[in-house]
Short mmCIF file of all heavy atoms in Angstrom, two decimals:
data_model
loop_
_atom_site.label_atom_id
_atom_site.label_comp_id
_atom_site.label_asym_id
_atom_site.label_seq_id
_atom_site.Cartn_x
_atom_site.Cartn_y
_atom_site.Cartn_z
N GLY A 259 -19.45 -28.46 6.59
CA GLY A 259 -19.69 -27.85 5.30
C GLY A 259 -19.13 -26.37 5.29
O GLY A 259 -19.09 -25.80 4.28
N GLY A 260 -18.83 -25.90 6.51
CA GLY A 260 -18.32 -24.47 6.61
C GLY A 260 -16.89 -24.52 6.22
O GLY A 260 -16.16 -25.57 6.25
N SER A 261 -16.30 -23.32 6.02
CA SER A 261 -14.82 -23.21 5.69
C SER A 261 -14.18 -22.09 6.48
O SER A 261 -14.86 -21.21 7.00
CB SER A 261 -14.69 -22.95 4.19
OG SER A 261 -15.41 -21.81 3.73
N LEU A 262 -12.86 -22.31 6.68
CA LEU A 262 -12.07 -21.31 7.36
C LEU A 262 -10.86 -21.01 6.61
O LEU A 262 -10.37 -21.73 5.81
CB LEU A 262 -11.71 -21.84 8.80
CG LEU A 262 -10.69 -22.92 8.96
CD1 LEU A 262 -9.29 -22.28 8.96
CD2 LEU A 262 -10.90 -23.58 10.36
N VAL A 263 -10.40 -19.70 6.83
CA VAL A 263 -9.21 -19.13 6.28
C VAL A 263 -8.26 -18.92 7.43
O VAL A 263 -8.68 -18.23 8.36
CB VAL A 263 -9.36 -18.08 5.33
CG1 VAL A 263 -8.10 -17.36 4.96
CG2 VAL A 263 -10.13 -18.46 4.04
N TYR A 264 -7.05 -19.42 7.31
CA TYR A 264 -5.98 -19.08 8.30
C TYR A 264 -4.98 -18.14 7.59
O TYR A 264 -4.56 -18.43 6.43
CB TYR A 264 -5.30 -20.37 8.75
CG TYR A 264 -4.04 -20.24 9.54
CD1 TYR A 264 -4.17 -20.03 10.94
CD2 TYR A 264 -2.77 -20.27 9.07
CE1 TYR A 264 -3.09 -19.85 11.79
CE2 TYR A 264 -1.64 -20.17 9.84
CZ TYR A 264 -1.78 -19.88 11.24
OH TYR A 264 -0.62 -19.71 12.01
N SER A 265 -4.52 -17.09 8.29
CA SER A 265 -3.55 -16.14 7.66
C SER A 265 -2.63 -15.59 8.71
O SER A 265 -2.95 -15.52 9.85
CB SER A 265 -4.31 -15.00 6.92
OG SER A 265 -5.11 -14.25 7.84
N THR A 266 -1.47 -15.28 8.25
CA THR A 266 -0.41 -14.55 9.11
C THR A 266 0.22 -13.53 8.17
O THR A 266 0.16 -13.58 6.97
CB THR A 266 0.64 -15.48 9.63
OG1 THR A 266 1.55 -15.85 8.59
CG2 THR A 266 0.01 -16.70 10.28
N CYS A 267 1.03 -12.62 8.80
CA CYS A 267 1.85 -11.63 8.05
C CYS A 267 3.28 -11.93 8.31
O CYS A 267 4.14 -10.99 8.40
CB CYS A 267 1.52 -10.20 8.31
SG CYS A 267 1.46 -9.79 10.11
N THR A 268 3.63 -13.23 8.38
CA THR A 268 5.00 -13.72 8.52
C THR A 268 5.41 -14.66 7.47
O THR A 268 4.57 -15.31 6.85
CB THR A 268 5.33 -14.31 9.93
OG1 THR A 268 6.68 -14.65 9.96
CG2 THR A 268 4.48 -15.56 10.09
N LEU A 269 6.70 -14.69 7.14
CA LEU A 269 7.26 -15.65 6.16
C LEU A 269 7.55 -16.99 6.83
O LEU A 269 7.83 -18.01 6.10
CB LEU A 269 8.57 -15.11 5.56
CG LEU A 269 8.49 -13.78 4.78
CD1 LEU A 269 9.88 -13.11 4.77
CD2 LEU A 269 7.88 -14.04 3.42
N SER A 270 7.48 -17.02 8.14
CA SER A 270 8.01 -18.25 8.89
C SER A 270 7.19 -19.46 8.63
O SER A 270 6.00 -19.55 8.91
CB SER A 270 7.93 -17.94 10.33
OG SER A 270 8.34 -19.06 11.16
N ARG A 271 7.92 -20.50 8.17
CA ARG A 271 7.26 -21.77 7.81
C ARG A 271 6.65 -22.39 9.06
O ARG A 271 5.60 -23.03 8.98
CB ARG A 271 8.28 -22.71 7.16
CG ARG A 271 7.76 -24.03 6.63
CD ARG A 271 8.83 -24.97 6.11
NE ARG A 271 9.51 -24.38 5.02
CZ ARG A 271 10.74 -24.73 4.65
NH1 ARG A 271 11.39 -25.68 5.32
NH2 ARG A 271 11.30 -24.18 3.54
N ALA A 272 7.29 -22.26 10.18
CA ALA A 272 6.78 -22.82 11.50
C ALA A 272 5.47 -22.34 11.88
O ALA A 272 4.63 -22.99 12.46
CB ALA A 272 7.74 -22.57 12.63
N GLU A 273 5.15 -21.09 11.46
CA GLU A 273 3.88 -20.41 11.80
C GLU A 273 2.83 -20.55 10.66
O GLU A 273 1.73 -20.13 10.84
CB GLU A 273 4.08 -18.94 12.09
CG GLU A 273 4.99 -18.75 13.34
CD GLU A 273 5.29 -17.31 13.67
OE1 GLU A 273 4.32 -16.48 13.64
OE2 GLU A 273 6.52 -16.91 13.72
N ASN A 274 3.30 -20.99 9.52
CA ASN A 274 2.46 -21.10 8.32
C ASN A 274 2.17 -22.56 7.97
O ASN A 274 1.21 -23.13 8.56
CB ASN A 274 3.08 -20.33 7.21
CG ASN A 274 3.22 -18.77 7.49
OD1 ASN A 274 2.50 -18.32 8.33
ND2 ASN A 274 4.12 -18.15 6.81
N SER A 275 2.88 -23.12 7.00
CA SER A 275 2.61 -24.44 6.52
C SER A 275 2.62 -25.51 7.59
O SER A 275 1.84 -26.42 7.62
CB SER A 275 3.67 -24.82 5.45
OG SER A 275 3.61 -23.85 4.35
N ASP A 276 3.58 -25.36 8.51
CA ASP A 276 3.70 -26.34 9.63
C ASP A 276 2.42 -26.44 10.47
O ASP A 276 2.05 -27.52 10.89
CB ASP A 276 4.90 -26.11 10.52
CG ASP A 276 6.24 -26.39 9.79
OD1 ASP A 276 6.19 -26.78 8.66
OD2 ASP A 276 7.30 -26.10 10.43
N VAL A 277 1.86 -25.27 10.75
CA VAL A 277 0.60 -25.24 11.51
C VAL A 277 -0.55 -25.93 10.77
O VAL A 277 -1.31 -26.69 11.33
CB VAL A 277 0.26 -23.77 11.96
CG1 VAL A 277 -1.11 -23.67 12.66
CG2 VAL A 277 1.39 -23.20 12.88
N ILE A 278 -0.67 -25.51 9.51
CA ILE A 278 -1.71 -26.12 8.67
C ILE A 278 -1.47 -27.60 8.51
O ILE A 278 -2.49 -28.43 8.62
CB ILE A 278 -1.79 -25.41 7.31
CG1 ILE A 278 -2.31 -23.92 7.51
CG2 ILE A 278 -2.71 -26.14 6.24
CD1 ILE A 278 -3.74 -23.82 8.03
N ASN A 279 -0.32 -28.03 8.31
CA ASN A 279 -0.05 -29.49 8.09
C ASN A 279 -0.39 -30.29 9.42
O ASN A 279 -0.93 -31.38 9.33
CB ASN A 279 1.40 -29.71 7.75
CG ASN A 279 1.71 -29.23 6.25
OD1 ASN A 279 0.80 -29.21 5.49
ND2 ASN A 279 2.93 -28.98 5.97
N LEU A 280 -0.04 -29.62 10.51
CA LEU A 280 -0.35 -30.32 11.74
C LEU A 280 -1.88 -30.42 11.93
O LEU A 280 -2.36 -31.50 12.40
CB LEU A 280 0.22 -29.52 12.96
CG LEU A 280 0.09 -30.05 14.38
CD1 LEU A 280 0.65 -31.46 14.52
CD2 LEU A 280 0.65 -29.07 15.45
#
Side-chain angles (χ1 to χ4, degrees):
S261 53
L262 73 82
V263 168
Y264 173 81
S265 61
T266 74
C267 53
T268 180
L269 298 159
S270 175
R271 190 183 294 159
E273 298 176 51
N274 295 338
S275 302
D276 289 357
V277 172
I278 292 295
N279 289 338
L280 183 59

